[in-house]
PDB file of all heavy atoms in Angstrom:
ATOM      1  N   GLY E 205     -12.640 -12.087 -15.399  1.00  0.00           N
ATOM      2  CA  GLY E 205     -12.710 -12.905 -16.609  1.00  0.00           C
ATOM      3  C   GLY E 205     -12.313 -12.178 -17.873  1.00  0.00           C
ATOM      4  O   GLY E 205     -12.154 -12.802 -18.929  1.00  0.00           O
ATOM      5  N   ALA E 206     -12.112 -10.850 -17.813  1.00  0.00           N
ATOM      6  CA  ALA E 206     -11.771 -10.075 -19.022  1.00  0.00           C
ATOM      7  C   ALA E 206     -10.237  -9.959 -19.186  1.00  0.00           C
ATOM      8  O   ALA E 206      -9.815  -9.487 -20.239  1.00  0.00           O
ATOM      9  CB  ALA E 206     -12.368  -8.687 -18.925  1.00  0.00           C
ATOM     10  N   ALA E 207      -9.474 -10.416 -18.232  1.00  0.00           N
ATOM     11  CA  ALA E 207      -8.039 -10.171 -18.248  1.00  0.00           C
ATOM     12  C   ALA E 207      -7.348 -10.822 -19.467  1.00  0.00           C
ATOM     13  O   ALA E 207      -6.528 -10.190 -20.144  1.00  0.00           O
ATOM     14  CB  ALA E 207      -7.389 -10.656 -16.963  1.00  0.00           C
ATOM     15  N   ALA E 208      -7.678 -12.097 -19.730  1.00  0.00           N
ATOM     16  CA  ALA E 208      -7.026 -12.767 -20.869  1.00  0.00           C
ATOM     17  C   ALA E 208      -7.381 -12.117 -22.178  1.00  0.00           C
ATOM     18  O   ALA E 208      -6.535 -11.927 -23.058  1.00  0.00           O
ATOM     19  CB  ALA E 208      -7.446 -14.257 -20.853  1.00  0.00           C
ATOM     20  N   ALA E 209      -8.621 -11.706 -22.319  1.00  0.00           N
ATOM     21  CA  ALA E 209      -9.064 -11.015 -23.530  1.00  0.00           C
ATOM     22  C   ALA E 209      -8.340  -9.676 -23.709  1.00  0.00           C
ATOM     23  O   ALA E 209      -7.966  -9.296 -24.811  1.00  0.00           O
ATOM     24  CB  ALA E 209     -10.549 -10.822 -23.522  1.00  0.00           C
ATOM     25  N   ALA E 210      -8.118  -8.987 -22.565  1.00  0.00           N
ATOM     26  CA  ALA E 210      -7.405  -7.722 -22.660  1.00  0.00           C
ATOM     27  C   ALA E 210      -5.969  -7.954 -23.137  1.00  0.00           C
ATOM     28  O   ALA E 210      -5.446  -7.160 -23.930  1.00  0.00           O
ATOM     29  CB  ALA E 210      -7.388  -7.069 -21.274  1.00  0.00           C
ATOM     30  N   MET E 211      -5.337  -9.012 -22.695  1.00  0.00           N
ATOM     31  CA  MET E 211      -3.984  -9.335 -23.169  1.00  0.00           C
ATOM     32  C   MET E 211      -4.008  -9.666 -24.644  1.00  0.00           C
ATOM     33  O   MET E 211      -3.133  -9.232 -25.400  1.00  0.00           O
ATOM     34  CB  MET E 211      -3.421 -10.487 -22.371  1.00  0.00           C
ATOM     35  CG  MET E 211      -3.131 -10.179 -20.921  1.00  0.00           C
ATOM     36  SD  MET E 211      -2.427 -11.619 -20.065  1.00  0.00           S
ATOM     37  CE  MET E 211      -2.983 -11.304 -18.394  1.00  0.00           C
ATOM     38  N   SER E 212      -5.012 -10.425 -25.083  1.00  0.00           N
ATOM     39  CA  SER E 212      -5.072 -10.818 -26.482  1.00  0.00           C
ATOM     40  C   SER E 212      -5.273  -9.622 -27.386  1.00  0.00           C
ATOM     41  O   SER E 212      -4.880  -9.618 -28.580  1.00  0.00           O
ATOM     42  CB  SER E 212      -6.241 -11.813 -26.694  1.00  0.00           C
ATOM     43  OG  SER E 212      -7.482 -11.153 -26.654  1.00  0.00           O
ATOM     44  N   ARG E 213      -5.864  -8.547 -26.884  1.00  0.00           N
ATOM     45  CA  ARG E 213      -6.070  -7.298 -27.634  1.00  0.00           C
ATOM     46  C   ARG E 213      -4.902  -6.356 -27.550  1.00  0.00           C
ATOM     47  O   ARG E 213      -4.939  -5.234 -28.076  1.00  0.00           O
ATOM     48  CB  ARG E 213      -7.334  -6.605 -27.144  1.00  0.00           C
ATOM     49  CG  ARG E 213      -8.618  -7.388 -27.399  1.00  0.00           C
ATOM     50  CD  ARG E 213      -9.812  -6.741 -26.691  1.00  0.00           C
ATOM     51  NE  ARG E 213     -10.003  -5.358 -27.104  1.00  0.00           N
ATOM     52  CZ  ARG E 213     -10.799  -4.499 -26.472  1.00  0.00           C
ATOM     53  NH1 ARG E 213     -11.502  -4.911 -25.394  1.00  0.00           N
ATOM     54  NH2 ARG E 213     -10.939  -3.277 -26.912  1.00  0.00           N
ATOM     55  N   GLY E 214      -3.848  -6.760 -26.863  1.00  0.00           N
ATOM     56  CA  GLY E 214      -2.649  -5.935 -26.760  1.00  0.00           C
ATOM     57  C   GLY E 214      -2.804  -4.759 -25.812  1.00  0.00           C
ATOM     58  O   GLY E 214      -2.129  -3.757 -25.962  1.00  0.00           O
ATOM     59  N   LEU E 215      -3.683  -4.916 -24.808  1.00  0.00           N
ATOM     60  CA  LEU E 215      -3.955  -3.824 -23.870  1.00  0.00           C
ATOM     61  C   LEU E 215      -3.135  -3.867 -22.600  1.00  0.00           C
ATOM     62  O   LEU E 215      -3.256  -2.986 -21.761  1.00  0.00           O
ATOM     63  CB  LEU E 215      -5.445  -3.814 -23.503  1.00  0.00           C
ATOM     64  CG  LEU E 215      -6.450  -3.678 -24.634  1.00  0.00           C
ATOM     65  CD1 LEU E 215      -7.883  -3.747 -24.100  1.00  0.00           C
ATOM     66  CD2 LEU E 215      -6.205  -2.364 -25.372  1.00  0.00           C
ATOM     67  N   VAL E 216      -2.278  -4.871 -22.498  1.00  0.00           N
ATOM     68  CA  VAL E 216      -1.480  -5.062 -21.259  1.00  0.00           C
ATOM     69  C   VAL E 216      -0.020  -5.231 -21.612  1.00  0.00           C
ATOM     70  O   VAL E 216       0.365  -6.131 -22.341  1.00  0.00           O
ATOM     71  CB  VAL E 216      -1.993  -6.298 -20.466  1.00  0.00           C
ATOM     72  CG1 VAL E 216      -1.191  -6.493 -19.203  1.00  0.00           C
ATOM     73  CG2 VAL E 216      -3.482  -6.214 -20.166  1.00  0.00           C
ATOM     74  N   ASP E 217       0.809  -4.399 -21.005  1.00  0.00           N
ATOM     75  CA  ASP E 217       2.272  -4.484 -21.199  1.00  0.00           C
ATOM     76  C   ASP E 217       2.927  -5.345 -20.117  1.00  0.00           C
ATOM     77  O   ASP E 217       3.938  -5.956 -20.343  1.00  0.00           O
ATOM     78  CB  ASP E 217       2.902  -3.107 -21.201  1.00  0.00           C
ATOM     79  CG  ASP E 217       2.430  -2.254 -22.357  1.00  0.00           C
ATOM     80  OD1 ASP E 217       2.414  -2.756 -23.488  1.00  0.00           O
ATOM     81  OD2 ASP E 217       2.100  -1.065 -22.147  1.00  0.00           O
ATOM     82  N   CYS E 218       2.310  -5.361 -18.916  1.00  0.00           N
ATOM     83  CA  CYS E 218       2.917  -6.113 -17.815  1.00  0.00           C
ATOM     84  C   CYS E 218       1.841  -6.374 -16.742  1.00  0.00           C
ATOM     85  O   CYS E 218       1.000  -5.524 -16.508  1.00  0.00           O
ATOM     86  CB  CYS E 218       4.058  -5.329 -17.207  1.00  0.00           C
ATOM     87  SG  CYS E 218       4.981  -6.191 -15.899  1.00  0.00           S
ATOM     88  N   VAL E 219       1.935  -7.560 -16.121  1.00  0.00           N
ATOM     89  CA  VAL E 219       1.077  -7.911 -14.991  1.00  0.00           C
ATOM     90  C   VAL E 219       1.883  -7.764 -13.715  1.00  0.00           C
ATOM     91  O   VAL E 219       3.013  -8.291 -13.634  1.00  0.00           O
ATOM     92  CB  VAL E 219       0.519  -9.340 -15.092  1.00  0.00           C
ATOM     93  CG1 VAL E 219      -0.322  -9.687 -13.870  1.00  0.00           C
ATOM     94  CG2 VAL E 219      -0.317  -9.499 -16.377  1.00  0.00           C
ATOM     95  N   LEU E 220       1.321  -7.066 -12.724  1.00  0.00           N
ATOM     96  CA  LEU E 220       1.985  -6.894 -11.418  1.00  0.00           C
ATOM     97  C   LEU E 220       1.111  -7.456 -10.337  1.00  0.00           C
ATOM     98  O   LEU E 220      -0.069  -7.077 -10.215  1.00  0.00           O
ATOM     99  CB  LEU E 220       2.195  -5.394 -11.167  1.00  0.00           C
ATOM    100  CG  LEU E 220       3.187  -4.668 -12.086  1.00  0.00           C
ATOM    101  CD1 LEU E 220       3.070  -3.149 -11.848  1.00  0.00           C
ATOM    102  CD2 LEU E 220       4.579  -5.118 -11.842  1.00  0.00           C
ATOM    103  N   VAL E 221       1.654  -8.367  -9.536  1.00  0.00           N
ATOM    104  CA  VAL E 221       0.891  -8.935  -8.413  1.00  0.00           C
ATOM    105  C   VAL E 221       1.763  -9.040  -7.181  1.00  0.00           C
ATOM    106  O   VAL E 221       2.997  -9.031  -7.247  1.00  0.00           O
ATOM    107  CB  VAL E 221       0.319 -10.334  -8.761  1.00  0.00           C
ATOM    108  CG1 VAL E 221      -0.638 -10.304  -9.947  1.00  0.00           C
ATOM    109  CG2 VAL E 221       1.453 -11.342  -8.984  1.00  0.00           C
ATOM    110  N   GLY E 222       1.121  -9.117  -6.042  1.00  0.00           N
ATOM    111  CA  GLY E 222       1.838  -9.382  -4.783  1.00  0.00           C
ATOM    112  C   GLY E 222       1.846 -10.864  -4.491  1.00  0.00           C
ATOM    113  O   GLY E 222       1.625 -11.693  -5.395  1.00  0.00           O
ATOM    114  N   ALA E 223       2.066 -11.229  -3.226  1.00  0.00           N
ATOM    115  CA  ALA E 223       2.104 -12.617  -2.841  1.00  0.00           C
ATOM    116  C   ALA E 223       1.753 -12.746  -1.374  1.00  0.00           C
ATOM    117  O   ALA E 223       2.056 -11.831  -0.581  1.00  0.00           O
ATOM    118  CB  ALA E 223       3.451 -13.255  -3.131  1.00  0.00           C
ATOM    119  N   ASP E 224       1.155 -13.879  -1.002  1.00  0.00           N
ATOM    120  CA  ASP E 224       0.872 -14.182   0.406  1.00  0.00           C
ATOM    121  C   ASP E 224       1.821 -15.228   0.951  1.00  0.00           C
ATOM    122  O   ASP E 224       2.021 -15.288   2.189  1.00  0.00           O
ATOM    123  CB  ASP E 224      -0.573 -14.642   0.555  1.00  0.00           C
ATOM    124  CG  ASP E 224      -1.527 -13.474   0.409  1.00  0.00           C
ATOM    125  OD1 ASP E 224      -1.900 -13.163  -0.755  1.00  0.00           O
ATOM    126  OD2 ASP E 224      -1.866 -12.870   1.424  1.00  0.00           O
ATOM    127  N   ARG E 225       2.403 -16.037   0.083  1.00  0.00           N
ATOM    128  CA  ARG E 225       3.452 -16.985   0.473  1.00  0.00           C
ATOM    129  C   ARG E 225       4.214 -17.423  -0.765  1.00  0.00           C
ATOM    130  O   ARG E 225       3.597 -17.674  -1.806  1.00  0.00           O
ATOM    131  CB  ARG E 225       2.850 -18.213   1.192  1.00  0.00           C
ATOM    132  CG  ARG E 225       3.947 -19.129   1.802  1.00  0.00           C
ATOM    133  CD  ARG E 225       3.305 -20.347   2.466  1.00  0.00           C
ATOM    134  NE  ARG E 225       2.437 -20.047   3.577  1.00  0.00           N
ATOM    135  CZ  ARG E 225       2.618 -20.425   4.837  1.00  0.00           C
ATOM    136  NH1 ARG E 225       3.683 -21.124   5.160  1.00  0.00           N
ATOM    137  NH2 ARG E 225       1.734 -20.116   5.760  1.00  0.00           N
TER     138      ARG E 225
END
Side-chain angles (χ1 to χ4, degrees):
M211 292 181 209
S212 75
R213 294 171 58 192
L215 300 178
V216 181
D217 296 314
C218 184
V219 177
L220 294 169
V221 299
D224 287 86
R225 189 181 298 241

